[in-house]
Amino acid sequence: MRIIGLTGGIGSGKSTVAHLFAAQGVPIIDTDDIAHALSIPPSPVLDQIAQVFGPEYLSDNGSLDRARMRQHIYAEPAAKKKLEAIFHPRIKDVAIQMLNDLPDHTPYAILAVPLLFETGSYSHIIDLSLLVDCSIEQQIARVQARNGLSKHEIEAIIASQCPRTTRIELADDIILNETTLAHLQSTVSTLHQRYQD
């Protein structure tokens, strides 16, 4: 089974591309979904976050207070590293288990990792990297429309991610997501045919 690492900056359209591959019957393993599942109690990740950062970073229901944590890690770069050290190994373990559980006859699977190039910890797992790319202006506009974050907050997130030029250099395949959904569907269909061979 071939494993395609899907990545892209915030607001690039990774989720849309993942849905289009899923519509073709391709298994999608999304590390964001795994992280979200690990952020809901009971979870050993949350126990560790309470120990390292303090119980005030958990909501009243015991889940991760994402807004508070987001503010903290952008104010304190060292905190981001601590949070990643808690989350990333567990996310990777779950992702590998999910890949191992797929049927043997599966031609290929998509492993969606937003920080694929930043972490470097999936390079020995994937066979190819697929980047969803668009202009920074489009990233900002899409995230503002979707999440309601301020331009300053979005720019801080973009600055914390791998630079666009570096992602383009590192990617094996690139989907430019700057036009229509129909164009995106056509591009995904072409790649789907190629990845099955």
Side-chain angles (χ1 to χ4, degrees), residues 104-122:
D104 292 338
H105 61 271
T106 307
Y108 76 97
I110 297 281
L111 177 61
V113 186
L115 302 178
L116 182 69
F117 299 133
E118 288 87 341
T119 66
S121 59
Y122 292 88

Side-chain angles (χ1 to χ4, degrees), residues 144-161:
Q144 280 182 318
R146 183 182 71 198
N147 294 15
L149 297 177
S150 71
K151 187 179 179 188
H152 176 72
E153 285 176 302
I154 300 163
E155 285 173 339
I157 294 168
I158 290 171
S160 75
Q161 296 183 335

Side-chain angles (χ1 to χ4, degrees), residues 6-23:
L6 176 66
T7 194
I10 186 170
S12 61
K14 290 182 306 296
S15 297
T16 304
V17 168
H19 290 311
L20 291 173
F21 275 108

Side-chain angles (χ1 to χ4, degrees), residues 116-135:
L116 182 69
F117 299 133
E118 288 87 341
T119 66
S121 59
Y122 292 88
S123 54
H124 68 289
I125 298 171
I126 64 166
D127 298 292
L128 282 172
S129 58
L130 173 59
L131 170 66
V132 184
D133 181 57
C134 68
S135 69

